[in-house]
PDB file of all heavy atoms in Angstrom:
ATOM      1  N   VAL A   1     135.487 -79.240  33.075  1.00 97.00           N
ATOM      2  CA  VAL A   1     135.514 -78.344  31.928  1.00 97.00           C
ATOM      3  C   VAL A   1     136.877 -78.472  31.282  1.00 97.00           C
ATOM      4  O   VAL A   1     137.907 -78.166  31.895  1.00 97.00           O
ATOM      5  CB  VAL A   1     135.244 -76.871  32.356  1.00 97.00           C
ATOM      6  CG1 VAL A   1     135.368 -75.946  31.164  1.00 97.00           C
ATOM      7  CG2 VAL A   1     133.907 -76.756  33.043  1.00 97.00           C
ATOM      8  N   ASN A   2     136.911 -78.948  30.049  1.00 95.00           N
ATOM      9  CA  ASN A   2     138.139 -79.088  29.271  1.00 95.00           C
ATOM     10  C   ASN A   2     138.238 -77.924  28.317  1.00 95.00           C
ATOM     11  O   ASN A   2     137.607 -77.906  27.277  1.00 95.00           O
ATOM     12  CB  ASN A   2     138.125 -80.399  28.474  1.00 95.00           C
ATOM     13  CG  ASN A   2     138.263 -81.614  29.347  1.00 95.00           C
ATOM     14  OD1 ASN A   2     139.119 -81.658  30.223  1.00 95.00           O
ATOM     15  ND2 ASN A   2     137.432 -82.617  29.123  1.00 95.00           N
ATOM     16  N   TYR A   3     139.030 -76.911  28.694  1.00 95.00           N
ATOM     17  CA  TYR A   3     139.158 -75.737  27.844  1.00 95.00           C
ATOM     18  C   TYR A   3     140.465 -75.796  27.072  1.00 95.00           C
ATOM     19  O   TYR A   3     141.442 -75.111  27.351  1.00 95.00           O
ATOM     20  CB  TYR A   3     139.072 -74.437  28.667  1.00 95.00           C
ATOM     21  CG  TYR A   3     138.643 -73.281  27.810  1.00 95.00           C
ATOM     22  CD1 TYR A   3     137.315 -73.103  27.481  1.00 95.00           C
ATOM     23  CD2 TYR A   3     139.565 -72.392  27.306  1.00 95.00           C
ATOM     24  CE1 TYR A   3     136.910 -72.052  26.680  1.00 95.00           C
ATOM     25  CE2 TYR A   3     139.178 -71.333  26.498  1.00 95.00           C
ATOM     26  CZ  TYR A   3     137.853 -71.163  26.183  1.00 95.00           C
ATOM     27  OH  TYR A   3     137.459 -70.152  25.375  1.00 95.00           O
ATOM     28  N   PHE A   4     140.485 -76.733  26.121  1.00 92.00           N
ATOM     29  CA  PHE A   4     141.634 -76.871  25.229  1.00 92.00           C
ATOM     30  C   PHE A   4     141.177 -77.554  23.945  1.00 92.00           C
ATOM     31  O   PHE A   4     140.213 -78.330  23.956  1.00 92.00           O
ATOM     32  CB  PHE A   4     142.774 -77.668  25.870  1.00 92.00           C
ATOM     33  CG  PHE A   4     142.434 -79.093  26.209  1.00 92.00           C
ATOM     34  CD1 PHE A   4     142.631 -80.097  25.289  1.00 92.00           C
ATOM     35  CD2 PHE A   4     141.927 -79.415  27.446  1.00 92.00           C
ATOM     36  CE1 PHE A   4     142.320 -81.426  25.593  1.00 92.00           C
ATOM     37  CE2 PHE A   4     141.618 -80.733  27.769  1.00 92.00           C
ATOM     38  CZ  PHE A   4     141.813 -81.744  26.851  1.00 92.00           C
ATOM     39  N   SER A   5     141.842 -77.229  22.856  1.00 87.00           N
ATOM     40  CA  SER A   5     141.525 -77.866  21.596  1.00 87.00           C
ATOM     41  C   SER A   5     142.761 -78.518  20.952  1.00 87.00           C
ATOM     42  O   SER A   5     142.624 -79.247  19.991  1.00 87.00           O
ATOM     43  CB  SER A   5     140.923 -76.855  20.612  1.00 87.00           C
ATOM     44  OG  SER A   5     141.807 -75.793  20.401  1.00 87.00           O
ATOM     45  N   GLU A   6     143.939 -78.269  21.541  1.00 86.00           N
ATOM     46  CA  GLU A   6     145.141 -78.838  20.956  1.00 86.00           C
ATOM     47  C   GLU A   6     145.176 -80.347  21.171  1.00 86.00           C
ATOM     48  O   GLU A   6     144.617 -80.872  22.115  1.00 86.00           O
ATOM     49  CB  GLU A   6     146.405 -78.184  21.503  1.00 86.00           C
ATOM     50  CG  GLU A   6     146.558 -78.227  23.006  1.00 86.00           C
ATOM     51  CD  GLU A   6     146.168 -76.921  23.663  1.00 86.00           C
ATOM     52  OE1 GLU A   6     145.030 -76.471  23.456  1.00 86.00           O
ATOM     53  OE2 GLU A   6     146.974 -76.372  24.397  1.00 86.00           O
ATOM     54  N   ASN A   7     145.830 -81.028  20.256  1.00 88.00           N
ATOM     55  CA  ASN A   7     145.949 -82.472  20.286  1.00 88.00           C
ATOM     56  C   ASN A   7     147.188 -82.817  21.101  1.00 88.00           C
ATOM     57  O   ASN A   7     148.242 -83.095  20.560  1.00 88.00           O
ATOM     58  CB  ASN A   7     146.035 -83.019  18.851  1.00 88.00           C
ATOM     59  CG  ASN A   7     145.826 -84.518  18.821  1.00 88.00           C
ATOM     60  OD1 ASN A   7     145.313 -85.110  19.763  1.00 88.00           O
ATOM     61  ND2 ASN A   7     146.270 -85.122  17.747  1.00 88.00           N
ATOM     62  N   ASN A   8     147.042 -82.827  22.439  1.00 90.00           N
ATOM     63  CA  ASN A   8     148.163 -83.020  23.339  1.00 90.00           C
ATOM     64  C   ASN A   8     147.845 -84.242  24.220  1.00 90.00           C
ATOM     65  O   ASN A   8     146.838 -84.252  24.940  1.00 90.00           O
ATOM     66  CB  ASN A   8     148.333 -81.749  24.194  1.00 90.00           C
ATOM     67  CG  ASN A   8     149.449 -81.868  25.187  1.00 90.00           C
ATOM     68  OD1 ASN A   8     149.400 -82.694  26.082  1.00 90.00           O
ATOM     69  ND2 ASN A   8     150.438 -81.019  25.034  1.00 90.00           N
ATOM     70  N   LEU A   9     148.686 -85.263  24.178  1.00 91.00           N
ATOM     71  CA  LEU A   9     148.425 -86.487  24.919  1.00 91.00           C
ATOM     72  C   LEU A   9     148.358 -86.294  26.424  1.00 91.00           C
ATOM     73  O   LEU A   9     147.534 -86.915  27.095  1.00 91.00           O
ATOM     74  CB  LEU A   9     149.492 -87.550  24.576  1.00 91.00           C
ATOM     75  CG  LEU A   9     149.424 -88.134  23.176  1.00 91.00           C
ATOM     76  CD1 LEU A   9     150.618 -89.038  22.919  1.00 91.00           C
ATOM     77  CD2 LEU A   9     148.120 -88.900  22.977  1.00 91.00           C
ATOM     78  N   ALA A  10     149.218 -85.455  26.982  1.00 91.00           N
ATOM     79  CA  ALA A  10     149.200 -85.230  28.432  1.00 91.00           C
ATOM     80  C   ALA A  10     147.878 -84.583  28.864  1.00 91.00           C
ATOM     81  O   ALA A  10     147.263 -85.001  29.856  1.00 91.00           O
ATOM     82  CB  ALA A  10     150.375 -84.355  28.851  1.00 91.00           C
ATOM     83  N   LEU A  11     147.418 -83.575  28.120  1.00 93.00           N
ATOM     84  CA  LEU A  11     146.129 -82.949  28.398  1.00 93.00           C
ATOM     85  C   LEU A  11     144.990 -83.954  28.294  1.00 93.00           C
ATOM     86  O   LEU A  11     144.097 -84.019  29.150  1.00 93.00           O
ATOM     87  CB  LEU A  11     145.868 -81.817  27.395  1.00 93.00           C
ATOM     88  CG  LEU A  11     146.322 -80.437  27.786  1.00 93.00           C
ATOM     89  CD1 LEU A  11     146.249 -79.515  26.569  1.00 93.00           C
ATOM     90  CD2 LEU A  11     145.503 -79.873  28.902  1.00 93.00           C
ATOM     91  N   GLN A  12     145.014 -84.744  27.247  1.00 93.00           N
ATOM     92  CA  GLN A  12     143.947 -85.726  27.036  1.00 93.00           C
ATOM     93  C   GLN A  12     143.934 -86.771  28.145  1.00 93.00           C
ATOM     94  O   GLN A  12     142.859 -87.160  28.619  1.00 93.00           O
ATOM     95  CB  GLN A  12     144.122 -86.408  25.691  1.00 93.00           C
ATOM     96  CG  GLN A  12     143.878 -85.469  24.513  1.00 93.00           C
ATOM     97  CD  GLN A  12     144.198 -86.129  23.188  1.00 93.00           C
ATOM     98  OE1 GLN A  12     144.225 -87.342  23.073  1.00 93.00           O
ATOM     99  NE2 GLN A  12     144.429 -85.316  22.169  1.00 93.00           N
ATOM    100  N   LEU A  13     145.104 -87.208  28.597  1.00 93.00           N
ATOM    101  CA  LEU A  13     145.171 -88.215  29.657  1.00 93.00           C
ATOM    102  C   LEU A  13     144.669 -87.646  30.981  1.00 93.00           C
ATOM    103  O   LEU A  13     143.938 -88.321  31.710  1.00 93.00           O
ATOM    104  CB  LEU A  13     146.592 -88.764  29.806  1.00 93.00           C
ATOM    105  CG  LEU A  13     146.759 -89.867  30.858  1.00 93.00           C
ATOM    106  CD1 LEU A  13     145.793 -91.031  30.623  1.00 93.00           C
ATOM    107  CD2 LEU A  13     148.211 -90.360  30.886  1.00 93.00           C
ATOM    108  N   VAL A  14     145.006 -86.416  31.294  1.00 95.00           N
ATOM    109  CA  VAL A  14     144.483 -85.799  32.519  1.00 95.00           C
ATOM    110  C   VAL A  14     142.972 -85.695  32.438  1.00 95.00           C
ATOM    111  O   VAL A  14     142.261 -86.022  33.389  1.00 95.00           O
ATOM    112  CB  VAL A  14     145.134 -84.413  32.770  1.00 95.00           C
ATOM    113  CG1 VAL A  14     144.402 -83.648  33.861  1.00 95.00           C
ATOM    114  CG2 VAL A  14     146.597 -84.598  33.143  1.00 95.00           C
ATOM    115  N   SER A  15     142.449 -85.273  31.303  1.00 94.00           N
ATOM    116  CA  SER A  15     141.011 -85.187  31.125  1.00 94.00           C
ATOM    117  C   SER A  15     140.347 -86.546  31.288  1.00 94.00           C
ATOM    118  O   SER A  15     139.352 -86.702  31.992  1.00 94.00           O
ATOM    119  CB  SER A  15     140.688 -84.612  29.737  1.00 94.00           C
ATOM    120  OG  SER A  15     139.307 -84.703  29.485  1.00 94.00           O
ATOM    121  N   ALA A  16     140.871 -87.549  30.628  1.00 94.00           N
ATOM    122  CA  ALA A  16     140.294 -88.889  30.678  1.00 94.00           C
ATOM    123  C   ALA A  16     140.418 -89.505  32.068  1.00 94.00           C
ATOM    124  O   ALA A  16     139.569 -90.303  32.468  1.00 94.00           O
ATOM    125  CB  ALA A  16     140.973 -89.800  29.648  1.00 94.00           C
ATOM    126  N   SER A  17     141.431 -89.123  32.831  1.00 93.00           N
ATOM    127  CA  SER A  17     141.657 -89.676  34.154  1.00 93.00           C
ATOM    128  C   SER A  17     140.865 -88.978  35.251  1.00 93.00           C
ATOM    129  O   SER A  17     140.767 -89.493  36.375  1.00 93.00           O
ATOM    130  CB  SER A  17     143.153 -89.607  34.513  1.00 93.00           C
ATOM    131  OG  SER A  17     143.919 -90.325  33.561  1.00 93.00           O
ATOM    132  N   THR A  18     140.324 -87.815  34.967  1.00 94.00           N
ATOM    133  CA  THR A  18     139.554 -87.066  35.961  1.00 94.00           C
ATOM    134  C   THR A  18     138.170 -87.673  36.095  1.00 94.00           C
ATOM    135  O   THR A  18     137.462 -87.856  35.119  1.00 94.00           O
ATOM    136  CB  THR A  18     139.440 -85.590  35.550  1.00 94.00           C
ATOM    137  OG1 THR A  18     140.745 -85.050  35.388  1.00 94.00           O
ATOM    138  CG2 THR A  18     138.709 -84.774  36.607  1.00 94.00           C
ATOM    139  N   GLU A  19     137.809 -88.015  37.338  1.00 93.00           N
ATOM    140  CA  GLU A  19     136.473 -88.579  37.608  1.00 93.00           C
ATOM    141  C   GLU A  19     135.469 -87.430  37.698  1.00 93.00           C
ATOM    142  O   GLU A  19     135.560 -86.586  38.580  1.00 93.00           O
ATOM    143  CB  GLU A  19     136.479 -89.364  38.913  1.00 93.00           C
ATOM    144  CG  GLU A  19     137.311 -90.635  38.863  1.00 93.00           C
ATOM    145  CD  GLU A  19     136.763 -91.669  37.873  1.00 93.00           C
ATOM    146  OE1 GLU A  19     135.527 -91.748  37.725  1.00 93.00           O
ATOM    147  OE2 GLU A  19     137.566 -92.380  37.268  1.00 93.00           O
ATOM    148  N   ALA A  20     134.534 -87.407  36.765  1.00 95.00           N
ATOM    149  CA  ALA A  20     133.493 -86.373  36.747  1.00 95.00           C
ATOM    150  C   ALA A  20     132.214 -86.967  36.180  1.00 95.00           C
ATOM    151  O   ALA A  20     132.252 -87.802  35.284  1.00 95.00           O
ATOM    152  CB  ALA A  20     133.953 -85.192  35.903  1.00 95.00           C
ATOM    153  N   LYS A  21     131.112 -86.506  36.729  1.00 94.00           N
ATOM    154  CA  LYS A  21     129.816 -86.968  36.242  1.00 94.00           C
ATOM    155  C   LYS A  21     129.546 -86.488  34.820  1.00 94.00           C
ATOM    156  O   LYS A  21     128.949 -87.179  34.023  1.00 94.00           O
ATOM    157  CB  LYS A  21     128.705 -86.525  37.186  1.00 94.00           C
ATOM    158  CG  LYS A  21     128.797 -87.183  38.535  1.00 94.00           C
ATOM    159  CD  LYS A  21     127.755 -86.653  39.478  1.00 94.00           C
ATOM    160  CE  LYS A  21     127.960 -87.290  40.837  1.00 94.00           C
ATOM    161  NZ  LYS A  21     127.287 -86.572  41.886  1.00 94.00           N
ATOM    162  N   LEU A  22     129.973 -85.257  34.529  1.00 94.00           N
ATOM    163  CA  LEU A  22     129.769 -84.678  33.217  1.00 94.00           C
ATOM    164  C   LEU A  22     131.062 -84.009  32.769  1.00 94.00           C
ATOM    165  O   LEU A  22     131.671 -83.263  33.532  1.00 94.00           O
ATOM    166  CB  LEU A  22     128.640 -83.632  33.266  1.00 94.00           C
ATOM    167  CG  LEU A  22     128.295 -82.912  31.958  1.00 94.00           C
ATOM    168  CD1 LEU A  22     127.717 -83.904  30.944  1.00 94.00           C
ATOM    169  CD2 LEU A  22     127.316 -81.784  32.206  1.00 94.00           C
ATOM    170  N   LYS A  23     131.476 -84.275  31.534  1.00 95.00           N
ATOM    171  CA  LYS A  23     132.677 -83.666  30.962  1.00 95.00           C
ATOM    172  C   LYS A  23     132.254 -82.867  29.740  1.00 95.00           C
ATOM    173  O   LYS A  23     131.648 -83.379  28.819  1.00 95.00           O
ATOM    174  CB  LYS A  23     133.681 -84.755  30.559  1.00 95.00           C
ATOM    175  CG  LYS A  23     134.225 -85.539  31.755  1.00 95.00           C
ATOM    176  CD  LYS A  23     135.274 -86.530  31.337  1.00 95.00           C
ATOM    177  CE  LYS A  23     135.797 -87.293  32.553  1.00 95.00           C
ATOM    178  NZ  LYS A  23     136.939 -88.136  32.210  1.00 95.00           N
ATOM    179  N   VAL A  24     132.588 -81.565  29.805  1.00 95.00           N
ATOM    180  CA  VAL A  24     132.235 -80.635  28.722  1.00 95.00           C
ATOM    181  C   VAL A  24     133.496 -79.914  28.288  1.00 95.00           C
ATOM    182  O   VAL A  24     134.317 -79.522  29.121  1.00 95.00           O
ATOM    183  CB  VAL A  24     131.180 -79.622  29.192  1.00 95.00           C
ATOM    184  CG1 VAL A  24     130.825 -78.659  28.080  1.00 95.00           C
ATOM    185  CG2 VAL A  24     129.942 -80.309  29.731  1.00 95.00           C
ATOM    186  N   GLY A  25     133.631 -79.723  26.986  1.00 94.00           N
ATOM    187  CA  GLY A  25     134.819 -79.047  26.522  1.00 94.00           C
ATOM    188  C   GLY A  25     134.647 -78.427  25.159  1.00 94.00           C
ATOM    189  O   GLY A  25     133.593 -78.542  24.512  1.00 94.00           O
ATOM    190  N   VAL A  26     135.717 -77.767  24.732  1.00 92.00           N
ATOM    191  CA  VAL A  26     135.805 -77.182  23.400  1.00 92.00           C
ATOM    192  C   VAL A  26     135.890 -78.350  22.415  1.00 92.00           C
ATOM    193  O   VAL A  26     136.489 -79.382  22.699  1.00 92.00           O
ATOM    194  CB  VAL A  26     137.039 -76.271  23.307  1.00 92.00           C
ATOM    195  CG1 VAL A  26     137.219 -75.722  21.915  1.00 92.00           C
ATOM    196  CG2 VAL A  26     136.949 -75.152  24.329  1.00 92.00           C
ATOM    197  N   ALA A  27     135.283 -78.197  21.242  1.00 87.00           N
ATOM    198  CA  ALA A  27     135.330 -79.219  20.207  1.00 87.00           C
ATOM    199  C   ALA A  27     136.767 -79.681  20.000  1.00 87.00           C
ATOM    200  O   ALA A  27     137.684 -78.869  19.895  1.00 87.00           O
ATOM    201  CB  ALA A  27     134.722 -78.717  18.917  1.00 87.00           C
ATOM    202  N   HIS A  28     136.949 -80.985  19.953  1.00 82.00           N
ATOM    203  CA  HIS A  28     138.267 -81.563  19.946  1.00 82.00           C
ATOM    204  C   HIS A  28     138.340 -82.732  18.979  1.00 82.00           C
ATOM    205  O   HIS A  28     137.347 -83.382  18.694  1.00 82.00           O
ATOM    206  CB  HIS A  28     138.602 -82.038  21.367  1.00 82.00           C
ATOM    207  CG  HIS A  28     140.040 -82.363  21.577  1.00 82.00           C
ATOM    208  ND1 HIS A  28     140.548 -83.612  21.327  1.00 82.00           N
ATOM    209  CD2 HIS A  28     141.071 -81.617  22.012  1.00 82.00           C
ATOM    210  CE1 HIS A  28     141.830 -83.609  21.590  1.00 82.00           C
ATOM    211  NE2 HIS A  28     142.177 -82.412  22.011  1.00 82.00           N
ATOM    212  N   GLU A  29     139.533 -83.022  18.508  1.00 84.00           N
ATOM    213  CA  GLU A  29     139.754 -84.137  17.595  1.00 84.00           C
ATOM    214  C   GLU A  29     139.388 -85.480  18.234  1.00 84.00           C
ATOM    215  O   GLU A  29     138.837 -86.353  17.591  1.00 84.00           O
ATOM    216  CB  GLU A  29     141.238 -84.138  17.200  1.00 84.00           C
ATOM    217  CG  GLU A  29     141.581 -85.086  16.092  1.00 84.00           C
ATOM    218  CD  GLU A  29     143.048 -84.940  15.683  1.00 84.00           C
ATOM    219  OE1 GLU A  29     143.445 -83.819  15.307  1.00 84.00           O
ATOM    220  OE2 GLU A  29     143.764 -85.938  15.766  1.00 84.00           O
ATOM    221  N   GLU A  30     139.703 -85.650  19.540  1.00 84.00           N
ATOM    222  CA  GLU A  30     139.377 -86.887  20.252  1.00 84.00           C
ATOM    223  C   GLU A  30     137.977 -86.741  20.832  1.00 84.00           C
ATOM    224  O   GLU A  30     137.759 -86.128  21.867  1.00 84.00           O
ATOM    225  CB  GLU A  30     140.397 -87.132  21.383  1.00 84.00           C
ATOM    226  CG  GLU A  30     140.097 -88.328  22.271  1.00 84.00           C
ATOM    227  CD  GLU A  30     139.886 -89.628  21.511  1.00 84.00           C
ATOM    228  OE1 GLU A  30     140.868 -90.228  21.038  1.00 84.00           O
ATOM    229  OE2 GLU A  30     138.735 -90.070  21.395  1.00 84.00           O
ATOM    230  N   LYS A  31     136.997 -87.289  20.139  1.00 87.00           N
ATOM    231  CA  LYS A  31     135.577 -87.109  20.473  1.00 87.00           C
ATOM    232  C   LYS A  31     135.158 -87.823  21.752  1.00 87.00           C
ATOM    233  O   LYS A  31     134.129 -87.510  22.326  1.00 87.00           O
ATOM    234  CB  LYS A  31     134.696 -87.581  19.320  1.00 87.00           C
ATOM    235  CG  LYS A  31     134.937 -86.837  18.019  1.00 87.00           C
ATOM    236  CD  LYS A  31     134.594 -85.386  18.171  1.00 87.00           C
ATOM    237  CE  LYS A  31     134.801 -84.638  16.870  1.00 87.00           C
ATOM    238  NZ  LYS A  31     134.940 -83.210  17.062  1.00 87.00           N
ATOM    239  N   ARG A  32     135.940 -88.778  22.250  1.00 89.00           N
ATOM    240  CA  ARG A  32     135.556 -89.525  23.444  1.00 89.00           C
ATOM    241  C   ARG A  32     135.900 -88.819  24.756  1.00 89.00           C
ATOM    242  O   ARG A  32     135.501 -89.261  25.811  1.00 89.00           O
ATOM    243  CB  ARG A  32     136.214 -90.912  23.424  1.00 89.00           C
ATOM    244  CG  ARG A  32     135.805 -91.748  22.216  1.00 89.00           C
ATOM    245  CD  ARG A  32     136.575 -93.039  22.154  1.00 89.00           C
ATOM    246  NE  ARG A  32     137.996 -92.749  21.888  1.00 89.00           N
ATOM    247  CZ  ARG A  32     138.970 -93.642  21.907  1.00 89.00           C
ATOM    248  NH1 ARG A  32     138.713 -94.898  22.188  1.00 89.00           N
ATOM    249  NH2 ARG A  32     140.206 -93.298  21.637  1.00 89.00           N
ATOM    250  N   LEU A  33     136.597 -87.705  24.691  1.00 91.00           N
ATOM    251  CA  LEU A  33     136.989 -86.994  25.906  1.00 91.00           C
ATOM    252  C   LEU A  33     135.810 -86.334  26.620  1.00 91.00           C
ATOM    253  O   LEU A  33     135.748 -86.315  27.845  1.00 91.00           O
ATOM    254  CB  LEU A  33     138.009 -85.898  25.595  1.00 91.00           C
ATOM    255  CG  LEU A  33     139.443 -86.299  25.368  1.00 91.00           C
ATOM    256  CD1 LEU A  33     140.262 -85.085  25.047  1.00 91.00           C
ATOM    257  CD2 LEU A  33     140.006 -87.034  26.568  1.00 91.00           C
ATOM    258  N   ASN A  34     134.898 -85.776  25.848  1.00 93.00           N
ATOM    259  CA  ASN A  34     133.813 -84.969  26.419  1.00 93.00           C
ATOM    260  C   ASN A  34     132.457 -85.599  26.156  1.00 93.00           C
ATOM    261  O   ASN A  34     132.225 -86.199  25.098  1.00 93.00           O
ATOM    262  CB  ASN A  34     133.825 -83.559  25.813  1.00 93.00           C
ATOM    263  CG  ASN A  34     135.111 -82.836  26.092  1.00 93.00           C
ATOM    264  OD1 ASN A  34     135.538 -82.732  27.237  1.00 93.00           O
ATOM    265  ND2 ASN A  34     135.772 -82.344  25.053  1.00 93.00           N
ATOM    266  N   ASP A  35     131.551 -85.402  27.097  1.00 93.00           N
ATOM    267  CA  ASP A  35     130.151 -85.803  26.907  1.00 93.00           C
ATOM    268  C   ASP A  35     129.464 -84.783  25.997  1.00 93.00           C
ATOM    269  O   ASP A  35     128.590 -85.132  25.223  1.00 93.00           O
ATOM    270  CB  ASP A  35     129.432 -85.903  28.238  1.00 93.00           C
ATOM    271  CG  ASP A  35     130.069 -86.920  29.170  1.00 93.00           C
ATOM    272  OD1 ASP A  35     130.369 -88.042  28.698  1.00 93.00           O
ATOM    273  OD2 ASP A  35     130.296 -86.603  30.351  1.00 93.00           O
ATOM    274  N   ILE A  36     129.874 -83.519  26.152  1.00 92.00           N
ATOM    275  CA  ILE A  36     129.304 -82.427  25.349  1.00 92.00           C
ATOM    276  C   ILE A  36     130.476 -81.587  24.826  1.00 92.00           C
ATOM    277  O   ILE A  36     131.372 -81.241  25.601  1.00 92.00           O
ATOM    278  CB  ILE A  36     128.369 -81.539  26.173  1.00 92.00           C
ATOM    279  CG1 ILE A  36     127.183 -82.329  26.709  1.00 92.00           C
ATOM    280  CG2 ILE A  36     127.887 -80.331  25.360  1.00 92.00           C
ATOM    281  CD1 ILE A  36     126.325 -81.548  27.688  1.00 92.00           C
ATOM    282  N   GLU A  37     130.446 -81.264  23.552  1.00 94.00           N
ATOM    283  CA  GLU A  37     131.447 -80.382  22.960  1.00 94.00           C
ATOM    284  C   GLU A  37     130.777 -79.094  22.500  1.00 94.00           C
ATOM    285  O   GLU A  37     129.697 -79.127  21.910  1.00 94.00           O
ATOM    286  CB  GLU A  37     132.118 -81.042  21.746  1.00 94.00           C
ATOM    287  CG  GLU A  37     133.051 -82.146  22.114  1.00 94.00           C
ATOM    288  CD  GLU A  37     133.862 -82.640  20.923  1.00 94.00           C
ATOM    289  OE1 GLU A  37     133.411 -82.476  19.782  1.00 94.00           O
ATOM    290  OE2 GLU A  37     134.938 -83.187  21.156  1.00 94.00           O
ATOM    291  N   ILE A  38     131.435 -77.979  22.796  1.00 94.00           N
ATOM    292  CA  ILE A  38     130.929 -76.671  22.399  1.00 94.00           C
ATOM    293  C   ILE A  38     131.918 -76.096  21.394  1.00 94.00           C
ATOM    294  O   ILE A  38     133.108 -75.989  21.680  1.00 94.00           O
ATOM    295  CB  ILE A  38     130.761 -75.746  23.619  1.00 94.00           C
ATOM    296  CG1 ILE A  38     129.751 -76.370  24.607  1.00 94.00           C
ATOM    297  CG2 ILE A  38     130.315 -74.351  23.181  1.00 94.00           C
ATOM    298  CD1 ILE A  38     129.657 -75.661  25.942  1.00 94.00           C
ATOM    299  N   VAL A  39     131.433 -75.726  20.235  1.00 93.00           N
ATOM    300  CA  VAL A  39     132.298 -75.220  19.173  1.00 93.00           C
ATOM    301  C   VAL A  39     132.451 -73.709  19.341  1.00 93.00           C
ATOM    302  O   VAL A  39     131.521 -72.948  19.081  1.00 93.00           O
ATOM    303  CB  VAL A  39     131.719 -75.553  17.762  1.00 93.00           C
ATOM    304  CG1 VAL A  39     132.636 -75.034  16.669  1.00 93.00           C
ATOM    305  CG2 VAL A  39     131.508 -77.049  17.633  1.00 93.00           C
ATOM    306  N   VAL A  40     133.623 -73.300  19.798  1.00 91.00           N
ATOM    307  CA  VAL A  40     133.963 -71.884  19.959  1.00 91.00           C
ATOM    308  C   VAL A  40     135.450 -71.711  19.651  1.00 91.00           C
ATOM    309  O   VAL A  40     136.210 -72.671  19.712  1.00 91.00           O
ATOM    310  CB  VAL A  40     133.676 -71.330  21.378  1.00 91.00           C
ATOM    311  CG1 VAL A  40     132.203 -71.321  21.687  1.00 91.00           C
ATOM    312  CG2 VAL A  40     134.436 -72.102  22.423  1.00 91.00           C
ATOM    313  N   LYS A  41     135.826 -70.464  19.382  1.00 87.00           N
ATOM    314  CA  LYS A  41     137.254 -70.149  19.260  1.00 87.00           C
ATOM    315  C   LYS A  41     137.799 -69.967  20.672  1.00 87.00           C
ATOM    316  O   LYS A  41     137.066 -69.598  21.594  1.00 87.00           O
ATOM    317  CB  LYS A  41     137.443 -68.877  18.451  1.00 87.00           C
ATOM    318  CG  LYS A  41     136.987 -69.043  17.018  1.00 87.00           C
ATOM    319  CD  LYS A  41     137.119 -67.734  16.260  1.00 87.00           C
ATOM    320  CE  LYS A  41     136.580 -67.934  14.839  1.00 87.00           C
ATOM    321  NZ  LYS A  41     136.316 -66.687  14.170  1.00 87.00           N
ATOM    322  N   LYS A  42     139.116 -70.188  20.847  1.00 83.00           N
ATOM    323  CA  LYS A  42     139.695 -70.144  22.170  1.00 83.00           C
ATOM    324  C   LYS A  42     139.498 -68.783  22.889  1.00 83.00           C
ATOM    325  O   LYS A  42     139.417 -68.741  24.097  1.00 83.00           O
ATOM    326  CB  LYS A  42     141.170 -70.511  22.143  1.00 83.00           C
ATOM    327  CG  LYS A  42     142.022 -69.580  21.342  1.00 83.00           C
ATOM    328  CD  LYS A  42     143.443 -70.075  21.281  1.00 83.00           C
ATOM    329  CE  LYS A  42     144.233 -69.229  20.308  1.00 83.00           C
ATOM    330  NZ  LYS A  42     145.521 -69.787  20.028  1.00 83.00           N
ATOM    331  N   GLU A  43     139.388 -67.715  22.139  1.00 85.00           N
ATOM    332  CA  GLU A  43     139.203 -66.404  22.761  1.00 85.00           C
ATOM    333  C   GLU A  43     137.739 -66.099  23.104  1.00 85.00           C
ATOM    334  O   GLU A  43     137.434 -65.063  23.666  1.00 85.00           O
ATOM    335  CB  GLU A  43     139.797 -65.304  21.888  1.00 85.00           C
ATOM    336  CG  GLU A  43     139.221 -65.186  20.495  1.00 85.00           C
ATOM    337  CD  GLU A  43     139.872 -66.122  19.465  1.00 85.00           C
ATOM    338  OE1 GLU A  43     140.845 -66.811  19.770  1.00 85.00           O
ATOM    339  OE2 GLU A  43     139.359 -66.143  18.330  1.00 85.00           O
TER     340      GLU A  43
END
């Protein structure tokens, strides 16, 4: 679960480096990070 939307390289690299069968997160500028994106506000 990637619960971030900021464009931060360190966050993106940790996400991309994590081995997971399914990656889901908040809608993000880098579309390749998540298999599924959910559009919500951070709160």
Side-chain angles (χ1 to χ4, degrees):
V1 177
N2 289 314
Y3 203 80
F4 63 89
S5 58
E6 56 260 56
N7 193 18
N8 179 297
L9 289 174
L11 268 168
Q12 292 174 21
L13 182 55
V14 168
S15 171
S17 300
T18 303
E19 292 296 325
K21 293 176 183 163
L22 180 66
K23 295 183 179 188
V24 180
V26 176
H28 193 273
E29 190 175 302
E30 176 54 75
K31 300 297 181 200
R32 299 174 293 173
L33 282 178
N34 300 307
D35 300 314
I36 299 171
E37 288 188 336
I38 300 171
V39 181
V40 293
K41 295 177 182 164
K42 63 184 172 190
E43 59 275 355

